[in-house]
Amino acid sequence: MSECTHDCGSCGEDCPSRQSSPQDFLEKPNELSNIRRVIGVVSGKGGVGKSLVTSLLAVQLNRRGYKTGIMDADITGPSIPKAFGIHQKAAGTGTALLPVKSKTGVEIISINLLLENESDPVVWRGPIIAGVVKQFWTDVIWDNVDFLFVDMPPGTGDVPLTVFQSIPLDGIIVVASPQELVEMVVEKAVRMAQLMNIPILGLVENMSYVACPDCGKKIPVFGESHVDEIASRYHLPVLAKLPIDPALAKACDQGVIELYEGDWMDQAADQLEKLDK
């Protein structure tokens, strides 16, 4: 059967690709993988701390006794290995890839673990990038992982669509920041998930405030938060409001995020634990 070769957005043909249900696009994980829950971490725009939230969630659940993994699907802007201080290359079996384990046992796969040099840019077109992300699901052996977090690139383009269609997500967490501009792009991410019938577990606001070191007063550096309004509009819980914390930024820069202590993600971790019961 010939494949569709034209722009479906302006096409009125009732071809097989239009008749397929979302389930038809799901890819099977590697036959040696065993994954209980898959959680996507998304954002409507870049720079809001999606990778930070992904890392904190993986660390928090790991501390609670769950085996966690991170699929770094942000191919052109990978930052997960840096936060965990990982510089070694991923190994393979000849037929599959093996994720690299962090100091505390978090399994991680990222394009930076496959490049010859970490600083080499990935200058690929969208379909190729989406194909690599799909391979992170089909060709990587995720061994008895309780929670696999997918750190997705921002927006609603090729890669998020590939993840939503190809990987059986148990839910997503949407990351935002307080600026009014972000309110609009957060709603785009929420609506995309709703269109794709992906459960939205809640919202996390990063850079919500900075706490005065002298009096403890919370100062909204980027303006008043709108995350509660968005959450109320879509009947979603706000799972966390992360402050601007120089100690947390330093932990990421030094690759020791697993040593950082903080309880801001407790409610988000509680929400994820409910999925496992």
Side-chain angles (χ1 to χ4, degrees):
M1 182 175 65
S2 61
E3 294 184 359
C4 176
T5 58
H6 53 267
D7 179 13
C8 293
S10 60
C11 171
E13 293 294 328
D14 190 23
C15 58
S17 62
R18 288 184 178 271
Q19 300 168 8
S20 302
S21 68
Q23 296 296 320
D24 295 334
F25 296 100
L26 290 178
E27 296 282 347
K28 292 182 179 180
N30 187 280
E31 59 182 10
L32 298 178
S33 291
N34 186 0
I35 309 160
R36 294 176 66 180
R37 300 292 182 188
V38 185
I39 308 298
V41 182
V42 309
S43 65
K45 67 183 296 294
V48 298
K50 179 174 40 55
S51 297
L52 171 65
V53 170
T54 302
S55 301
L56 289 174
L57 284 171
V59 170
Q60 182 76 300
L61 270 297
N62 186 52
R63 288 175 180 171
R64 295 189 181 193
Y66 295 95
K67 187 172 182 182
T68 60
I70 299 176
M71 180 195 297
D72 189 355
D74 196 348
I75 303 299
T76 59
S79 54
I80 295 295
K82 172 71 173 178
F84 285 85
I86 295 175
H87 302 284
Q88 70 212 73
K89 303 305 177 187
T93 65
T95 58
L97 279 172
L98 301 175
V100 175
K101 288 189 178 182
S102 72
K103 300 176 185 69
T104 62
V106 178
E107 295 194 349
I108 295 171
I109 194 69
S110 171
I111 195 67
N112 261 19
L113 305 181
L114 302 173
L115 297 175
E116 184 175 351
N117 299 302
E118 293 180 358
S119 58
D120 287 346
V122 176
V123 189
W124 299 339
R125 295 193 181 276
I128 298 176
I129 295 174
V132 171
V133 171
K134 194 180 295 186
Q135 285 184 288
F136 282 173
W137 174 253
T138 60
D139 295 2
V140 175
I141 299 175
W142 300 99
D143 185 24
N144 292 315
V145 171
D146 295 308
F147 288 96
L148 176 63
F149 295 96
V150 183
D151 181 20
M152 292 205 277
T156 56
D158 281 342
V159 175
L161 182 60
T162 295
V163 173
F164 282 178
Q165 289 184 324
S166 304
I167 300 176
L169 296 172
D170 292 286
I172 65 166
I173 291 175
V174 182
V175 183
S177 60
Q179 298 99 322
E180 285 191 34
L181 169 65
V182 176
E183 181 179 358
M184 177 187 66
V185 292
V186 166
E187 290 197 69
K188 289 180 181 291
V190 169
R191 290 181 180 180
M192 179 182 183
Q194 291 176 333
L195 285 172
M196 303 296 293
N197 295 317
I198 305 296
I200 305 170
L201 303 178
L203 307 181
V204 171
E205 184 176 70
N206 187 34
M207 300 178 285
S208 185
Y209 60 90
V210 62
C212 174
D214 295 324
C215 66
K217 179 181 178 181
K218 295 181 179 180
I219 304 169
V221 178
F222 294 109
E224 294 300 324
S225 170
H226 297 275
V227 70
D228 291 309
E229 299 170 21
I230 301 173
S232 176
R233 193 176 305 147
Y234 291 95
H235 308 288
L236 298 171
V238 177
L239 300 177
K241 292 184 178 181
L242 300 177
I244 299 172
D245 184 358
L248 178 54
K250 184 177 180 180
C252 291
D253 289 342
Q254 294 181 344
V256 292
I257 194 168
E258 291 163 292
L259 300 180
Y260 181 78
E261 297 289 341
D263 59 2
W264 297 296
M265 298 303 295
D266 280 353
Q267 186 178 343
D270 292 343
Q271 185 84 342
L272 294 176
E273 280 195 305
K274 292 178 182 177
L275 296 175
D276 211 48
K277 294 180 179 178

